[in-house]
Amino acid sequence: MPAPRPIGIVGGVGPMAGLDLVHKITAATRARRDQDHLPVTLVSHPHRIGDRTDFLLGRTTTNPGVALADLAEALVAGGAEVVAIPCNTAHAPAIVGRVRERLDGRAEFVDMIDAVADEIRRRFPAARRVGVLSTTGTQAARVYPDRLAPLGLDVIAPDAALQESTVHPAIYDATYGVKSVSAPVTARAVAGLRAGLDHLIEAGAEVVVLACTEIPLALPMDEVGGVPVLDATRVLARAVVRRSCPEALADA
């Protein structure tokens, strides 16, 4: 097997999501011994990275993309040739653009949204209605609609009332949300996110994307009632392995 390209993960967005991506990279790697696994460096400095949703909703003017770019640059200085950020909201153009500018071809940035779009086209070519369960920031920034619409895909999202009363708090609430209580996830957070997932399926989604890297911690399923559920973190993990060493990618 050829030498893999070293992987750098900018974690801390949130912290458990970074660990989850590393876990899923390991699971997606074809290996018979320790030495067959890919070189991965995870940096998790959540105290340095402002909240992505707060920035996108105008609650702060500090762009978290600057800190993300600083950390990505440090990973490249340490030898990383493939870089990924396990945060859907961070892929809003206003944020991720700072990272792309700083890397400027010195390392390959694996875009999570592009990876999900490729996965949908490959696995579900007949699908036209895609449900997206996400933070309010991802929804407000049109992270998925703006990428999927050119592919002929219509995005379905929870309505404003359900998003604000149920879905977003299940991620963000300081007492029970996944960002604050993730090991294990609270029953209330699971129920809130499941309500959002069921709403999307009832609205006609042919495939649903778990488009916040905290959500798969609460909803670790591949399908519901015959409707496929895509874990964006797992999709990103496989894309990262493919960029690092295609021969090491395990069967799905």
Side-chain angles (χ1 to χ4, degrees):
M1 189 176 294
R5 300 164 70 198
I7 299 164
I9 305 299
V10 182
V13 282
M16 192 63 79
L19 294 172
D20 191 41
L21 177 59
V22 173
H23 170 80
K24 286 168 179 170
I25 288 172
T26 304
T29 302
R30 189 192 310 276
R32 295 175 297 173
R33 55 181 185 159
D34 291 349
Q35 292 75 21
D36 293 336
H37 283 279
L38 306 178
V40 179
T41 301
L42 166 68
V43 59
S44 186
H45 291 182
H47 64 293
R48 295 174 57 182
I49 308 166
D51 187 81
R52 283 68 62 203
T53 290
D54 281 350
F55 173 70
L56 293 171
L57 296 183
R59 296 170 184 158
T60 177
T61 58
T62 302
N63 189 337
V66 175
L68 291 169
D70 288 344
L71 294 168
E73 196 168 38
L75 287 166
V76 173
E81 297 178 21
V82 176
V83 175
I85 302 174
C87 175
N88 291 262
T89 313
H91 283 72
I95 299 175
V96 78
R98 295 296 187 95
V99 179
R100 291 184 182 280
E101 289 170 5
R102 194 81 65 82
L103 292 181
D104 192 27
R106 291 186 294 139
E108 181 176 5
F109 179 72
V110 185
D111 189 290
M112 172 181 267
I113 316 305
D114 285 348
V116 170
D118 289 345
E119 187 81 353
I120 293 171
R121 287 189 298 178
R122 182 180 68 83
R123 291 180 54 194
F124 313 108
R128 290 295 176 267
R129 294 168 63 81
V130 178
V132 174
L133 195 62
S134 71
T135 65
T136 300
T138 296
Q139 190 181 97
R142 294 183 54 82
V143 171
Y144 275 89
D146 287 350
R147 300 282 194 96
L148 298 185
L151 304 178
L153 299 171
D154 295 325
V155 169
I156 304 171
D159 60 41
L162 181 63
Q163 179 70 23
E164 292 308 310
S165 69
T166 306
V167 175
H168 195 73
I171 301 167
Y172 268 89
D173 188 273
T175 60
Y176 70 87
V178 186
K179 282 188 176 293
S180 58
V181 188
S182 56
V185 177
T186 67
R188 187 174 178 185
V190 172
L193 293 168
R194 181 58 193 262
L197 175 61
D198 290 343
H199 171 83
L200 294 174
I201 293 172
E202 290 166 6
E206 297 164 278
V207 56
V208 175
V209 180
L210 303 183
C212 167
T213 47
E214 270 86 19
I215 296 178
L217 305 174
L219 302 178
M221 65 266 291
D222 296 322
E223 61 88 26
V224 173
V227 176
V229 176
L230 277 186
D231 172 355
T233 307
R234 181 174 290 112
V235 173
L236 178 61
R238 293 185 62 80
V240 166
V241 173
R242 192 177 293 112
R243 300 308 201 286
S244 171
C245 183
E247 295 83 357
L249 185 63
D251 295 337

